[in-house]
Amino acid sequence: MAGSKLERLNPWFTRTMSSSLMRMSSYGPTSLNRYAPFPYAMINAVQVIEERKKKGRHFAAMIAFHVQKGRFQTRKLIYGSAPVMNDKSPGLPFYQMAPSEALQYEGILSLLLHFRWTWIGVIATDNDNGERFVQTISPMFTKSGVCFAFIERIPNFSFISEVDDMLRQGAIISQKFFSSKANVVVASGESYSMATLRLLSYFSEHDDKTKNVESKVWIITAQVEFASFVFQRYWDAGIFNGAIAFEIQIRNPPGFHQYVLHRNPSSTDGDGFIRDFWQQAFECVFPDITADKVEGNICTGEEKLESLPGSLFEMSMTGHSYSIHSAVYTMAHALHAMSTSRLRHRRIAYKERGKNLNQQFWQLHHFLRSISFNNTAGDVVFINQNGVAASSLDINNWIIFANQSFHRVRVGRIDPQAPPDQSFILDADAITWHSWFNQTRPLSLCTERCLPGSSKKVKEGQPPCCYDCIPCAEGKIAIQEDMNDCYKCPDKEYPSKNRDACLPKDISFLSYEEPLGISLACLSLFLSLITALVLGTFMKHHDTPIVIANNRNLTYTLLISLLLCFLCALLFIGRPEKVTCFLRQTAFGIIFSTAVSCVLAKTFTVVLAFMATKPESRMRKWVGKGLGHSILLSCSIVQAGICTVWLATSPPYPDVDMHSVMEEIILECNEGSVAMFYCVLIYMSCLATVSFAVAFLARKLPDSFNEAKFITFSMLVFCSVWLSFIPSYLSTKGKYMAAVEIFSILTSGGGLLGCIFSPKCYIIILRPELNNREQLIRKKN
């Protein structure tokens, strides 16, 4: 009914519309889907205008004239997403009714990055649009880490003689396509490109193409429609199952399905296009009264459009159709606004159409820029300042069943009006992948991902996506996949065994709570107790000959020094503090030097006493208590002076070592001046060496003076311990350095205590009968 009303309004419009639509559809394989929105939208637009302003006849003529001038995109409104028109005239405004291609490129890139597909193939048409597509996405994708396994062009052909060349070229493309490791292919083209892709795959010379093609995920741009040539109706379209297509967001207008359902050749007299489409789609012919015989099936005109496969005809409105629908409504509303404006052209007569029409179209731009209305589908249509209609893109999943039926499932969208973090929305779980992938998320990588703990090293001469995985060096980690480089952990953390995480370091120092610290502390206290008992024993028996004969005062001083040496070892255990660090090395140096000085004084006393027994010996004047005390005092003062200079110039202090041991933060005492520390050790070693040498010379003295033998052995133990201390100390780290020094202090002190005092304690405690003057004289005689 609506159609007859429009035809009565303007028969010329009907003829013009049909001829214009024939030109628009002549380049595609099946185009009734795109044909239907024009008359449908024109009918509804005229009806709306008639209700608002009884001038439907005039507006129908104006719109039809605009369409008759050529396709919408060649004059005013672009209903596709092509960014540039080849015949664009300078200064001529264009209005785009579909989302811009820039939005589509960003959506494709977001999709690739979402699934981490970095190794893809690209197929584009071999024309200016295809070249522009490749030139645009190449730097854009490469900058985001996406590489191209291949970039191929779909060949165009205009004449049947070019089919052989196209097939040969298609075989080459198919060989690269199906043998590539890239599992994702981005396909850009025109509305008919899908039919060409099916043609190339069908005639491919690749032997096992069926097996390999199943591993591809197609990403289809909005320009490409799921269409095919008539002779492809029985071809298997399963290779495109699971494809992800970017399509213009649509909403079916009320009545569109019924409108298409009732379209048939008998309802469109004079429309030759639908008759041709009918014959090709249903494989039948209409009877010709001029022909004697009709070959093939007879078209009745009652065939059902809904029985056609989706690749030939869709009953729902497609994205392109929706853009055309919106374009017609936009033009109608703009013309209506222009006609009712009091500022422009109050009187426009139908008879002056030819004279004033061009001027009217120039004036139309003002109204197009400010257009905003609700179309019949309920969507708001408005054009922004850039001449682009605010529109979104749907991300659809193509599902093709075994019977070649076709179904779209919306899995996401791209909304340029939404906030940046919500402009790209995708429900990955709703995607149905091709059966070859067993419903697991496909991968498309040149190289398997580098696992955490390794970094990428790009292969020479290869794209950045093709690389080797190199394990991280010692001390570095990589916590994510495909990291370009490994990096060091913070100072308070260390790499895990697999070098894929940073673990907190343990704080390390020799404490009383661990077995090693407890053992050394107990040993120190035990030796201190033994020393105290020996000192007490000697003090109790201070009037006995054996105590008097071994220089009683020096013996007490030596025992007190050993007692303090064993106790100062406790300064090395526990959390390093300022006071303990300040005291422990200097206290050890002074006290131990005092102990060694005592041994040296005792040794000199023994030697001089023996030499003084010789007749007319000059050594008698040196024998006495004064000599031993002088040696003790002078040797101790030198060590005390060294320690004083050390504390005055560069004293020890608490420090933190985060690098010596990878897994630990070592709390230690920094010696301040290593040179001064070694000066203390060297001086103490010199005293021990002199003591050993003198005692060694006196080892053959008579038995009554046999203490020199024990001093010789004790100094041998002492020197052996401290000679082994230096390499051991330098080769250990952390708390074990303190443990080595404590062990050396206790061992050397214990050697002095045992070698010098154990024989005397034996006589005093177990053989008191030997501790008398007569026994000593008897031994001497």
Side-chain angles (χ1 to χ4, degrees), residues 545-558:
I546 194 168
V547 175
I548 297 174
N550 287 280
N551 201 327
R552 183 169 48 194
N553 292 335
L554 288 178
T555 299
Y556 292 162
T557 304
L558 176 59

Side-chain angles (χ1 to χ4, degrees), residues 585-597 631-647 675-688 718:
Q585 294 292 4
T586 54
F588 152 70
I590 294 173
I591 294 172
F592 229 110
S593 294
T594 301
V596 177
S597 298
I631 294 174
L632 172 62
L633 186 61
S634 59
C635 293
S636 300
I637 287 177
V638 173
Q639 184 71 291
I642 295 174
C643 291
T644 301
V645 173
W646 183 8
L647 295 178
M676 296 303 297
F677 172 66
Y678 283 108
C679 284
V680 170
L681 293 181
I682 291 172
Y683 178 75
M684 191 170 57
S685 300
C686 291
L687 291 178
F718 183 91

Side-chain angles (χ1 to χ4, degrees), residues 344-359:
R344 298 176 181 270
H345 304 289
R346 292 179 177 274
R347 296 186 304 172
I348 302 175
Y350 178 79
K351 61 182 179 179
E352 296 177 348
R353 180 188 68 226
K355 178 179 179 180
N356 297 328
L357 195 54
N358 288 335
Q359 183 180 2

